[in-house]
Amino acid sequence: MLNTADENRRRHDLHPDHPVWLFGYGSLIYKADFPYLARRPASISGWVRRFWQGSHDHRGTPDKPGRVVTLIEAPGMVCAGMAYRITPDVFEHLDHREKNGYLRVTTPLSFADGQHEQGLVYIATADNAAFLGEASEPQIADHIAASHGPSGSNAEYLLQLAEALRQLDVVDEHVFHIEHYLLRACD
Ligand code: BEZ
Protein backbone atom coordinates (compact mmCIF):
# COMPACT_ATOMS: atom_id res chain seq x y z
CA MET A 1 0.00 0.00 0.00
CA LEU A 2 1.07 3.62 -0.56
CA ASN A 3 2.65 5.56 2.28
CA THR A 4 2.98 9.32 1.79
CA ALA A 5 3.81 10.04 5.47
CA ASP A 6 7.60 10.15 4.90
CA GLU A 7 7.27 12.37 1.83
CA ASN A 8 5.11 14.81 3.82
CA ARG A 9 7.72 15.01 6.58
CA ARG A 10 10.43 15.79 3.96
CA ARG A 11 8.41 18.40 2.06
CA HIS A 12 7.76 20.92 4.83
CA ASP A 13 10.35 22.31 7.16
CA LEU A 14 8.00 23.67 9.82
CA HIS A 15 9.28 25.43 12.90
CA PRO A 16 8.01 23.52 15.97
CA ASP A 17 7.04 26.79 17.73
CA HIS A 18 5.12 28.27 14.80
CA PRO A 19 1.48 27.20 14.55
CA VAL A 20 -0.01 26.78 11.06
CA TRP A 21 -3.50 26.73 9.57
CA LEU A 22 -4.67 23.40 8.14
CA PHE A 23 -7.68 23.42 5.81
CA GLY A 24 -10.00 20.41 6.16
CA TYR A 25 -12.56 19.50 3.51
CA GLY A 26 -13.30 15.84 4.26
CA SER A 27 -13.14 13.79 7.44
CA LEU A 28 -11.14 16.59 9.08
CA ILE A 29 -14.35 18.63 9.17
CA TYR A 30 -16.16 16.21 11.46
CA LYS A 31 -13.33 14.14 12.98
CA ALA A 32 -10.93 16.46 14.78
CA ASP A 33 -9.12 13.78 16.79
CA PHE A 34 -6.13 16.06 17.39
CA PRO A 35 -5.41 19.12 19.54
CA TYR A 36 -5.96 22.52 17.92
CA LEU A 37 -5.58 26.13 19.03
CA ALA A 38 -8.49 27.52 16.99
CA ARG A 39 -11.06 26.29 14.48
CA ARG A 40 -12.77 28.50 11.88
CA PRO A 41 -14.95 27.85 8.83
CA ALA A 42 -12.87 28.67 5.76
CA SER A 43 -12.68 28.13 2.02
CA ILE A 44 -10.10 27.74 -0.70
CA SER A 45 -10.45 28.91 -4.29
CA GLY A 46 -9.80 26.97 -7.47
CA TRP A 47 -10.69 23.52 -6.12
CA VAL A 48 -13.70 21.20 -5.82
CA ARG A 49 -14.27 18.25 -3.47
CA ARG A 50 -14.68 14.92 -5.30
CA PHE A 51 -15.09 11.28 -4.19
CA TRP A 52 -12.32 10.21 -6.53
CA GLN A 53 -9.66 8.87 -4.14
CA GLY A 54 -9.46 5.20 -3.13
CA SER A 55 -9.42 4.26 0.55
CA HIS A 56 -7.53 1.02 1.14
CA ASP A 57 -6.93 1.61 4.84
CA HIS A 58 -9.96 3.37 6.36
CA ARG A 59 -13.21 2.94 4.41
CA GLY A 60 -12.20 -0.03 2.27
CA THR A 61 -9.51 -2.69 2.05
CA PRO A 62 -6.53 -3.29 -0.26
CA ASP A 63 -8.68 -5.75 -2.27
CA LYS A 64 -11.81 -3.60 -2.23
CA PRO A 65 -10.94 0.08 -1.76
CA GLY A 66 -13.67 2.50 -0.77
CA ARG A 67 -14.09 6.03 -2.11
CA VAL A 68 -13.16 9.15 -0.16
CA VAL A 69 -12.73 12.79 -1.07
CA THR A 70 -9.81 14.62 -2.56
CA LEU A 71 -9.57 18.05 -4.19
CA ILE A 72 -9.60 18.51 -7.95
CA GLU A 73 -8.45 21.74 -9.59
CA ALA A 74 -11.37 23.81 -10.87
CA PRO A 75 -10.59 27.42 -11.74
CA GLY A 76 -13.31 29.79 -10.53
CA MET A 77 -14.79 27.31 -8.04
CA VAL A 78 -14.62 27.50 -4.25
CA CYS A 79 -14.41 24.64 -1.76
CA ALA A 80 -15.68 25.37 1.75
CA GLY A 81 -14.58 23.50 4.86
CA MET A 82 -13.00 24.01 8.26
CA ALA A 83 -9.56 25.40 9.11
CA TYR A 84 -7.65 24.41 12.24
CA ARG A 85 -4.77 26.29 13.83
CA ILE A 86 -2.36 23.55 14.91
CA THR A 87 1.20 23.13 16.12
CA PRO A 88 3.41 21.27 13.63
CA ASP A 89 3.81 18.22 15.91
CA VAL A 90 0.15 17.37 15.14
CA PHE A 91 1.26 16.35 11.63
CA GLU A 92 2.89 13.23 13.13
CA HIS A 93 -0.61 11.95 13.77
CA LEU A 94 -2.30 13.36 10.67
CA ASP A 95 0.38 12.28 8.17
CA HIS A 96 -0.06 8.73 9.47
CA ARG A 97 -3.87 8.93 9.44
CA GLU A 98 -3.90 10.25 5.84
CA LYS A 99 -0.95 8.31 4.47
CA ASN A 100 -2.74 6.70 1.50
CA GLY A 101 -1.77 9.16 -1.22
CA TYR A 102 -2.34 12.57 0.37
CA LEU A 103 0.43 15.16 0.21
CA ARG A 104 0.46 18.43 2.10
CA VAL A 105 0.29 21.47 -0.18
CA THR A 106 0.52 25.16 0.72
CA THR A 107 -2.61 27.17 -0.09
CA PRO A 108 -4.19 30.56 0.58
CA LEU A 109 -7.26 30.27 2.84
CA SER A 110 -10.17 32.69 3.14
CA PHE A 111 -12.26 33.11 6.27
CA ALA A 112 -15.87 34.28 6.35
CA ASP A 113 -14.88 37.77 7.55
CA GLY A 114 -12.75 38.27 4.43
CA GLN A 115 -9.44 37.65 6.21
CA HIS A 116 -6.82 35.60 4.33
CA GLU A 117 -4.01 33.38 5.61
CA GLN A 118 -1.56 30.90 4.16
CA GLY A 119 -2.27 27.33 5.18
CA LEU A 120 -1.74 23.69 4.34
CA VAL A 121 -4.15 21.19 2.83
CA TYR A 122 -3.90 17.45 2.12
CA ILE A 123 -4.45 16.66 -1.56
CA ALA A 124 -4.36 13.29 -3.33
CA THR A 125 -3.52 14.08 -6.95
CA ALA A 126 -4.41 12.02 -10.01
CA ASP A 127 -0.91 10.53 -10.21
CA ASN A 128 -1.09 8.77 -6.83
CA ALA A 129 -1.47 4.98 -6.93
CA ALA A 130 -4.70 5.00 -4.89
CA PHE A 131 -6.50 7.47 -7.19
CA LEU A 132 -9.72 6.01 -8.65
CA GLY A 133 -10.85 9.01 -10.67
CA GLU A 134 -14.15 10.13 -12.06
CA ALA A 135 -17.34 8.07 -12.10
CA SER A 136 -20.99 9.08 -12.25
CA GLU A 137 -22.61 10.08 -8.96
CA PRO A 138 -24.96 7.00 -8.97
CA GLN A 139 -21.93 4.74 -9.60
CA ILE A 140 -20.04 6.39 -6.75
CA ALA A 141 -23.05 5.90 -4.45
CA ASP A 142 -23.20 2.16 -5.33
CA HIS A 143 -19.46 1.85 -4.76
CA ILE A 144 -19.72 3.56 -1.36
CA ALA A 145 -22.72 1.43 -0.34
CA ALA A 146 -20.65 -1.73 -0.95
CA SER A 147 -17.44 -0.61 0.81
CA HIS A 148 -16.29 -1.15 4.40
CA GLY A 149 -12.92 -0.85 6.11
CA PRO A 150 -11.17 -0.74 9.48
CA SER A 151 -12.56 2.75 10.26
CA GLY A 152 -16.15 1.73 9.47
CA SER A 153 -18.48 1.76 6.51
CA ASN A 154 -17.87 4.04 3.56
CA ALA A 155 -21.56 5.04 3.80
CA GLU A 156 -20.99 6.36 7.33
CA TYR A 157 -18.09 8.52 6.02
CA LEU A 158 -20.32 10.00 3.30
CA LEU A 159 -23.27 10.62 5.64
CA GLN A 160 -21.08 12.21 8.32
CA LEU A 161 -19.46 14.49 5.75
CA ALA A 162 -22.83 15.52 4.26
CA GLU A 163 -24.21 16.27 7.74
CA ALA A 164 -21.11 18.24 8.73
CA LEU A 165 -21.42 20.35 5.56
CA ARG A 166 -25.07 21.07 6.34
CA GLN A 167 -24.06 22.14 9.86
CA LEU A 168 -21.68 24.63 8.22
CA ASP A 169 -24.40 25.81 5.79
CA VAL A 170 -22.26 24.60 2.90
CA VAL A 171 -23.99 23.32 -0.24
CA ASP A 172 -21.89 20.77 -2.11
CA GLU A 173 -23.97 19.26 -4.90
CA HIS A 174 -21.51 16.45 -5.60
CA VAL A 175 -21.66 15.23 -1.97
CA PHE A 176 -25.42 15.79 -1.62
CA HIS A 177 -26.26 14.03 -4.91
CA ILE A 178 -24.23 10.98 -3.90
CA GLU A 179 -25.92 11.01 -0.48
CA HIS A 180 -29.31 11.16 -2.22
CA TYR A 181 -28.52 8.13 -4.44
CA LEU A 182 -27.14 6.17 -1.50
CA LEU A 183 -30.19 6.83 0.69
CA ARG A 184 -32.53 6.02 -2.19
CA ALA A 185 -30.82 2.65 -2.65
CA CYS A 186 -31.36 1.90 1.07
CA ASP A 187 -35.14 2.61 0.95
C1 BEZ B 1 -9.53 16.66 4.95
O1 BEZ B 1 -10.57 16.43 5.55
O2 BEZ B 1 -9.17 17.79 4.69
C2 BEZ B 1 -8.69 15.55 4.50
C3 BEZ B 1 -9.13 14.81 3.48
C4 BEZ B 1 -8.34 13.79 3.06
C5 BEZ B 1 -7.14 13.52 3.65
C6 BEZ B 1 -6.71 14.31 4.65
C7 BEZ B 1 -7.49 15.34 5.08
Side-chain angles (χ1 to χ4, degrees):
M1 205 191 306
L2 259 188
N3 189 338
T4 37
D6 290 342
E7 172 65 12
N8 273 319
R9 223 168 285 128
R10 273 194 298 274
R11 281 165 82 107
H12 297 275
D13 190 19
L14 300 172
H15 191 291
D17 296 336
H18 294 172
V20 293
W21 284 103
L22 172 67
F23 177 74
Y25 58 92
S27 60
L28 286 182
I29 299 180
Y30 65 83
K31 188 177 175 196
D33 59 353
F34 50 88
Y36 54 86
L37 306 168
R39 180 182 197 260
R40 294 176 69 185
S43 61
I44 61 174
S45 295
W47 299 91
V48 288
R49 184 174 11 237
R50 290 289 179 264
F51 271 88
W52 291 5
Q53 173 70 358
S55 177
H56 302 69
D57 51 351
H58 285 298
R59 301 294 175 162
T61 61
D63 288 345
K64 241 178 148 251
R67 271 187 180 262
V68 290
V69 289
T70 184
L71 292 178
I72 302 294
E73 271 192 278
M77 303 293 280
V78 172
C79 178
M82 183 65 82
Y84 298 87
R85 187 88 171 142
I86 59 174
T87 50
D89 58 303
V90 173
F91 285 115
E92 284 297 316
H93 165 66
L94 289 175
D95 287 350
H96 179 74
R97 174 178 142 180
E98 308 300 352
K99 63 186 179 301
N100 194 36
Y102 292 91
L103 291 173
R104 283 189 252 137
V105 174
T106 304
T107 180
L109 301 180
S110 304
F111 298 106
D113 61 3
Q115 196 191 340
H116 302 279
E117 293 276 358
Q118 278 294 105
L120 292 167
V121 61
Y122 284 99
I123 298 181
T125 52
D127 57 0
N128 89 86
F131 193 75
L132 296 177
E134 188 167 5
S136 71
E137 287 163 350
Q139 282 170 334
I140 293 177
D142 286 348
H143 186 150
I144 289 174
S147 300
H148 306 263
S151 298
S153 73
N154 206 170
E156 177 191 54
Y157 170 97
L158 163 67
L159 297 175
Q160 283 182 316
L161 176 58
E163 186 51 33
L165 291 172
R166 275 192 284 273
Q167 295 286 328
L168 286 173
D169 274 334
V170 172
V171 175
D172 186 317
E173 292 194 344
H174 175 73
V175 175
F176 292 168
H177 287 165
I178 295 168
E179 179 193 40
H180 165 80
Y181 289 118
L182 180 107
L183 293 175
R184 199 173 71 175
C186 296
D187 269 353

